Amino acid sequence: MNLSIVISASIAIFLSVFFFPLFNSTYWLKWRASLIPSTKFGADLIVKNGVIFTSDPSFPFANSMAIRDGRILRIGNYSSLQDLSGYGTKELNLEGKVVVPGFIDSHVHLISAGLQMARVQVEGVNRKDEIVRRVKEAVLNAKRGSWILGGGWNNDLWGGELPMASWIDEVTPDNPVWLTRMDGHMGLANSVALKLAGVTNLTKDPNGGTIMQTADGEPTGLLIDAAMELILSWIPEVSVDERREAMLRASSFALTRGVTTVVDVGRYFPGSSVEHSWQDFSDVYQWADSSGKMKIRVCLFFPIESWSRLYGVIHRAGRALSNWIYLGGVKAFADGSLGSNSALFHEPYFDDPHNYGLQVVEFESLFNMTIASDLSGLQVAIHAIGDKATDLILDMYESVALKNGKRDRRFRIEHAQHLAPGTADRFGQQGIVASVQPDHLLDDADVAIRKLGVDRAQKGSYLFRSLLSSNALLALGSDWPVTSTYPLRAIRTAMNRIPPGWDTAWIPSERLSLNDALIAHTISAARACFRENEIGSLLTGKLADFVILSSDSWDEFATGGSTSVNATYVGGIQAYP
């Protein structure tokens, strides 16, 4: 046979074998896709075979979703996503597990929570001697003269008696101590700290604060609200590295609980420096964002006293600095807390007949700052726990809205724990966000009855259903580190309302359904901070933040109380475990 014929035939066979598949359209598309990044053609990840709760009432459930570049590309049935599966697309089989949008914790102090995780832990302690033991242990591991810091104590757990400096003085002869109450509105200083700060029987109560005294007029060691600054101003400022570590520590923990976004109201409280929030913004959040270390998304609120400064930043850079940091608005305080007898009420405390609580800020000043903030387009959030404080803020919000004109402002009241008759309806009428923390009622049920009396406590405490029925925008949160961030527990608490040691619900008419509680921890929480176009639901175009739960069906999730977080995804990437 002619050699040239053999060579020609061989070449023809080789070319037909090599090139013929390229004329097949499927092969050609796959080959082309292999040369071009997969994000141009299909999904990065397809999540399938689950019970996906979207948080959108018009399309509540799906079984699959496709994700590309950190956002949801399409959601629906698995068959409807087949055309999005290309070269490099990964698939995650949920095997029937329930998926919900990433939880939004609507009220936290994130860096404070992270710092507290590394300090003396007295949360849940129900005996005086255990408080003393833990402080003593901390002293043994500390340098002489260094501050011993911690918090989380709740005197109601050991019968209500308030702690005193004398409890811990013997074990802390050379170290100043500061332990905050679990609500953050009261703290205990030992005698070394009182002496260092110059707090004596001659020291006057500051505006918006109280120095607790014995019958002889001597300081007990307890300081309430603005009076805490007398001690706090002597505590060395937390270093930048400590605050960065605290934020990362708290973020990692939040992910274990399915939290992908928090509304961080900062380390600010009455009497403290407004600079703390701004230092954390630049030293911690902007550092983490620019260095790629952010783990969860944050919506930041700043002290209302610095409204013009925030307006300037937003005017220059916008509200969304990135997919991680959103500048929410400004935060202020109207009163203190129930546990510290500083929440402001129309009627006096049942157990303290001459005490109506504390108005921690001068209202004319607050009114003027709110007008200016609102006129600048900033969202305003104000802490109010007692019924009088809430009514005062609602009146003020109404006046500001009339003065500044109609717009979508979404004024917020943080906590709204105890309401006067008819007040719940005003939230809906005025379009006010009720930012509430269900787990607080676990501690407050017995306390409210003791401090307010049965009738007032039963009629006006934690009125979740009434607020929702009034068309208020209900957003759930934790107030971490006051209570731990734990959305699944908060949802169950809102549904059941059964405090520890109780057999029945506290005010059962105020219970929420599972759907209502889930919505309040997802899409409504997003709306409450103007983020509904980005987060809070699992729909096409939204950021792919979602949580895989341990429940194998929706019925199991709805009826069982043991559901836990199996995995947390942020932007379509597994962040926990």
Side-chain angles (χ1 to χ4, degrees):
M1 182 179 294
N2 189 297
L3 181 60
S4 62
I5 295 176
V6 172
I7 293 173
S8 299
S10 298
I11 291 173
I13 294 171
F14 171 79
L15 291 175
S16 64
V17 170
F18 184 80
F19 285 106
F20 178 78
L22 297 183
F23 292 97
N24 177 281
S25 60
T26 301
Y27 186 98
W28 167 251
L29 287 173
K30 288 185 177 180
W31 179 78
R32 186 176 66 169
S34 70
L35 300 179
I36 304 173
S38 62
T39 54
K40 299 294 184 182
F41 286 91
D44 300 322
L45 175 68
I46 291 180
V47 180
K48 65 180 183 180
N49 190 27
V51 181
I52 301 174
F53 178 75
T54 69
S55 281
D56 187 323
S58 65
F59 180 53
F61 292 100
N63 67 29
S64 302
M65 61 182 170
I67 296 164
R68 184 173 70 192
D69 294 336
R71 292 182 180 269
I72 298 173
L73 186 60
R74 191 183 301 164
I75 187 163
N77 294 322
Y78 180 63
S79 59
S80 69
L81 310 181
Q82 290 295 286
D83 61 312
L84 299 177
S85 180
Y87 183 85
T89 299
K90 297 179 180 179
E91 292 196 354
L92 173 63
N93 188 346
L94 296 171
E95 299 180 342
K97 298 294 184 186
V98 172
V99 171
V100 296
F103 292 118
I104 301 169
D105 192 322
S106 292
H107 187 112
V108 306
H109 310 266
L110 190 67
I111 293 175
S112 296
L115 291 171
Q116 180 57 38
M117 291 172 71
R119 293 174 174 174
V120 180
Q121 302 289 323
V122 288
E123 181 181 354
V125 173
N126 59 9
R127 301 191 324 273
K128 167 186 173 180
D129 61 340
E130 180 60 16
I131 293 274
V132 176
R133 187 194 70 78
R134 295 193 185 190
V135 171
K136 182 179 181 180
E137 183 179 8
V139 170
L140 293 174
N141 296 315
K143 295 179 181 179
R144 181 178 179 180
S146 64
W147 279 85
I148 306 299
L149 304 174
W153 59 267
N154 181 1
N155 52 297
D156 295 306
L157 297 181
W158 58 72
E161 180 187 5
L162 288 169
M164 301 176 68
S166 58
W167 286 21
I168 55 177
D169 279 345
E170 185 176 341
V171 298
T172 59
D174 302 309
N175 295 81
V177 178
W178 178 248
L179 303 174
T180 55
R181 192 179 188 275
M182 48 87 71
D183 56 16
H185 289 267
M186 178 188 288
L188 173 67
N190 69 343
S191 293
V192 176
L194 292 173
K195 183 178 180 180
L196 181 67
V199 178
T200 70
N201 57 355
L202 299 177
T203 307
K204 302 295 184 182
D205 288 342
N207 290 333
T210 303
I211 302 168
M212 297 287 286
Q213 296 179 330
T214 66
D216 298 329
E218 295 296 325
T220 67
L222 289 173
L223 296 98
I224 301 174
D225 285 310
M228 295 191 296
E229 181 61 16
L230 296 172
I231 295 292
L232 291 171
S233 62
W234 288 87
I235 298 174
E237 179 57 55
V238 185
S239 71
V240 172
D241 286 342
E242 286 178 296
R243 287 182 283 130
R244 289 175 177 175
E245 290 170 5
M247 189 277 288
L248 296 175
R249 183 187 303 121
S251 298
S252 294
F253 181 80
L255 289 169
T256 70
R257 295 288 172 81
V259 175
T260 56
T261 300
V262 298
V263 176
D264 185 7
V265 294
R267 293 189 292 142
Y268 172 71
F269 56 88
S272 68
S273 171
V274 301
E275 288 303 312
H276 289 162
S277 295
W278 288 99
Q279 289 166 357
D280 291 341
F281 171 54
S282 59
D283 295 343
V284 180
Y285 289 117
Q286 288 188 304
W287 162 81
D289 193 21
S290 63
S291 58
K293 295 182 182 295
M294 290 294 290
K295 300 179 182 182
I296 60 175
R297 308 186 200 282
V298 295
C299 176
L300 302 178
F301 276 72
F302 296 81
I304 197 169
E305 292 90 339
S306 63
W307 69 267
S308 61
R309 188 172 175 181
L310 178 61
Y311 171 73
V313 173
I314 292 175
H315 184 70
R316 292 191 303 271
R319 291 184 182 275
L321 303 187
S322 68
N323 280 338
W324 297 100
I325 300 177
Y326 183 82
L327 302 178
V330 291
K331 161 82 183 301
F333 287 81
D335 65 348
S337 71
L338 181 71
S340 298
N341 278 33
S342 58
L344 186 63
F345 287 94
H346 289 291
E347 299 178 39
Y349 283 82
F350 188 76
D351 62 345
D352 190 2
H354 299 292
N355 181 19
Y356 290 79
L358 284 176
Q359 182 177 307
V360 299
V361 67
E362 199 275 315
F363 264 76
E364 184 177 356
S365 172
L366 180 59
F367 179 65
N368 290 334
M369 289 187 291
T370 301
I371 286 179
S373 300
D374 179 67
L375 200 58
S376 299
L378 302 176
Q379 188 180 19
V380 179
I382 299 181
H383 164 120
I385 287 181
D387 55 17
K388 184 176 181 179
T390 301
D391 285 343
L392 286 170
I393 298 307
L394 287 171
D395 289 344
M396 186 184 72
Y397 279 162
E398 188 173 30
S399 297
V400 171
L402 286 172
K403 184 175 180 64
N404 287 350
K406 186 177 180 180
R407 74 175 182 87
D408 183 10
R409 43 180 45 94
R410 304 184 202 180
F411 280 142
R412 295 170 62 113
I413 289 184
E414 305 298 315
H415 309 304
Q417 289 177 5
H418 307 282
L419 306 180
T423 297
D425 291 336
R426 296 185 62 187
F427 278 76
Q429 292 163 5
Q430 295 179 220
I432 306 297
V433 174
S435 171
V436 302
Q437 300 78 42
D439 279 346
H440 282 337
L441 75 81
L442 299 177
D443 296 312
D444 272 2
D446 293 317
V447 177
I449 291 170
R450 186 172 71 250
K451 291 181 178 295
L452 304 180
V454 174
D455 188 57
R456 282 167 66 193
Q458 285 289 115
K459 289 181 178 179
S461 300
Y462 295 89
L463 304 183
F464 302 150
R465 172 55 57 190
S466 295
L467 286 164
L468 200 59
S469 298
S470 81
N471 293 320
L473 188 56
L474 195 67
L476 299 190
S478 67
D479 203 8
W480 189 31
V482 177
T483 61
S484 179
T485 184
Y486 199 171
L488 287 174
R489 184 179 66 186
I491 287 168
R492 293 297 173 191
T493 299
M495 292 170 62
N496 300 324
R497 297 178 65 99
I498 301 177
W502 289 44
D503 296 322
T504 57
W506 184 33
I507 323 178
S509 60
E510 294 296 332
R511 290 180 295 192
L512 297 180
S513 68
L514 172 61
N515 187 74
D516 288 337
L518 266 175
I519 291 292
H521 237 319
T522 51
I523 188 60
S524 288
R527 291 191 184 105
C529 57
F530 288 91
R531 296 291 282 152
E532 68 271 24
N533 291 330
E534 295 289 303
I535 57 176
S537 59
L538 298 177
L539 294 175
T540 299
K542 299 293 182 70
L543 290 166
D545 300 347
F546 60 94
V547 183
I548 303 173
L549 303 178
S550 62
S551 297
D552 290 319
S553 68
W554 189 256
D555 287 342
E556 180 185 329
F557 178 38
T559 58
S562 59
T563 298
S564 59
V565 172
N566 274 7
T568 304
Y569 282 71
V570 181
I573 297 173
Q574 186 172 341
Y576 165 78

